[in-house]
Amino acid sequence: MAPGRFITFEGGEAGGKSTQIQRLADQLRAHGHLVRVLREPGGTPLGEKIRHLLKHDPDGRGMAAETELLLMNASRAELVRQVIRPALAAGEFVLCDRFFDSTTAYQTFGRQLDAAAVRSVIEFAVGDTHPDLTLLLWLPRAEARRRLQQRNAETAPAEDRFELEQEAFFERVEAGYRALAAAEPQRVRLVDATPDVATVASQIWAEVSRLLA
Ligand code: TMP
């Protein structure tokens, strides 16, 4: 059986990743593919507990950046072994909302941890399981802030430790993503996330079609 394809979605907050992942999953299924939709941190029972610690648990407030790095990669190590590798071996499409590029953007650039140390933790967690394609949904920070404010006013979500960060943190994360796109332009494809949902979806489909061709 042909091995599956591993596609990750990246970008700052409020870029519409989850909406676009669902649309792509529907489109791939309509073409007869088996599709698995996952998220990071999370995606396994253990990973979802780690996600709660990282994002919402009051005991996680003020955690060391090193702890954050290791928890992200503990969740990832589990997801890779329990879900991603078996799904790819079974020929499925795996669509993941964030993967190791988030660690480079948020922990290396955002938290300013040592780049080589972060790389070696990621390598330990993922081994040779790397995405075939990464779609980087690009939204200017001002628009991301506007969308977040709107979402928070509409749904009053649980407090999120990351969304409480200062603007300078998100600017560093954005610089991290720019560096990743420049370093690996074949794998990391920039998608303009400012237009309407259907327009963004068609940009994404064009990238995925290239991968399948
Ligand atoms: P989200 O799923 O709502 O985007 O929340 C995940 C948060 O965790 C988001 O703020 C980005 C952050 N994150 C990291 O800092 N490093 C990582 O490796 C991953 C996967 C996520």
Side-chain angles (χ1 to χ4, degrees), residues 13 17 40-41 51 55 72 76 98-99 102-103 106-107 162:
E13 329 296 304
K17 289 192 301 302
E40 275 210 335
R51 178 182 179 88
K55 280 176 65 104
M72 290 291 176
R76 178 166 301 140
R98 301 191 179 280
F99 195 59
S102 281
T103 302
Y106 284 78
Q107 277 68 55
F162 287 93

Side-chain angles (χ1 to χ4, degrees), residues 37-148:
V37 174
L38 301 169
R39 69 173 179 184
E40 275 210 335
T44 62
L46 183 57
E48 289 296 322
K49 287 192 173 150
I50 296 173
R51 178 182 179 88
H52 180 72
L53 290 175
L54 280 161
K55 280 176 65 104
H56 306 301
D57 194 316
D59 289 339
R61 281 195 204 127
M63 74 171 69
E66 289 80 356
T67 310
E68 184 178 275
L69 168 70
L70 293 168
L71 285 175
M72 290 291 176
N73 283 280
S75 169
R76 178 166 301 140
E78 194 67 10
L79 187 66
V80 163
R81 286 158 187 79
Q82 303 293 345
V83 186
I84 297 178
R85 285 180 189 163
L88 291 174
E92 294 184 30
F93 269 76
V94 174
L95 309 184
C96 197
D97 186 342
R98 301 191 179 280
F99 195 59
F100 58 27
D101 298 307
S102 281
T103 302
T104 305
Y106 284 78
Q107 277 68 55
T108 303
F109 282 80
R111 301 284 186 224
Q112 300 178 298
L113 289 175
D114 178 70
V118 173
R119 259 198 311 276
S120 77
V121 171
I122 291 174
E123 273 168 30
F124 188 56
V126 306
D128 60 2
T129 304
H130 288 211
D132 299 299
L133 172 68
T134 297
L135 298 157
L136 174 50
L137 269 56
W138 195 259
L139 198 62
R141 260 310 284 169
E143 175 60 11
R145 266 201 312 275
R146 196 191 62 72
R147 289 188 190 184
L148 275 175

